[in-house]
Amino acid sequence: MGRVRTAIRALVGRARDAWSAAGLRGPGAGPEAGPATPRPAAAPSTAPAARASLDAGAQEVLERLGAGERVVLLDVRDAAEREDGVIPGARFIPLGALETRRAELDGCDEIVCYCTSGVRSRDAARILRALGLFNATSLAGGIGAWTAAGGSLVVPSTQG
């Protein structure tokens, strides 16, 4: 399902780019909207996959995991923060180590980064996308949203 979502997001992005290049605002804008405002050439960060939403809702992630989708949960907090609990089965790569440990995530269908509140995990998703992993998102609201949606936490082992 993660690959299907990525493909759909890319197609929607291409359609928007085509409408814009033709000087149109897109379906549903209506004739009164007039031509689109010219934009500068697209930078690499505005590629369709990069424009896809960075946020993944906790309820959506829980449902997708429950349906057996191959979603990798990635804890980007510091080791000390993990003592309060981690999402079962999550991988651990601190935010500061993402660039050097990127290869550990090759082949993942989808990556959902998480932290305490969702701020650092958005940074992590942006970093991973910049490194070519366009399937990275951030758990909106972090662990608080996860537990509020009914997700569980476990105390991590001493391995990490």
Side-chain angles (χ1 to χ4, degrees):
M1 185 68 169
R3 290 181 185 173
V4 172
R5 295 173 97 208
T6 301
I8 290 171
R9 287 176 180 159
L11 289 173
V12 169
R14 285 188 202 123
R16 284 187 190 132
D17 291 344
W19 278 89
S20 178
L24 303 172
R25 292 205 182 268
E32 67 280 354
T37 304
R39 292 189 288 171
S45 63
T46 60
R51 283 195 309 257
S53 176
L54 276 174
D55 293 323
Q59 186 62 44
E60 173 192 358
V61 174
L62 277 165
E63 290 172 5
R64 293 177 63 206
L65 288 169
E69 290 187 36
R70 292 179 26 167
V71 176
V72 173
L73 295 166
L74 179 64
D75 189 336
V76 298
R77 299 174 297 161
D78 293 327
E81 294 175 280
R82 299 179 75 236
E83 293 174 7
D84 294 332
V86 299
I87 298 175
R91 295 187 189 185
F92 171 57
I93 302 176
L95 181 62
L98 281 177
E99 291 186 33
T100 58
R101 294 177 59 188
R102 177 227 184 272
E104 294 177 38
L105 301 170
D106 285 344
C108 294
D109 286 342
E110 185 159 356
I111 304 161
V112 178
C113 305
Y114 76 89
C115 63
T116 302
S117 66
V119 175
R120 286 174 290 168
S121 60
R122 289 193 102 221
D123 291 342
R126 284 187 188 107
I127 290 168
L128 291 174
R129 287 182 182 196
L131 294 172
L133 295 170
F134 298 111
N135 55 353
T137 56
S138 168
L139 181 62
I143 287 184
W146 176 261
T147 56
S152 62
L153 298 178
V154 296
V155 176
S157 67
T158 57
Q159 302 171 1

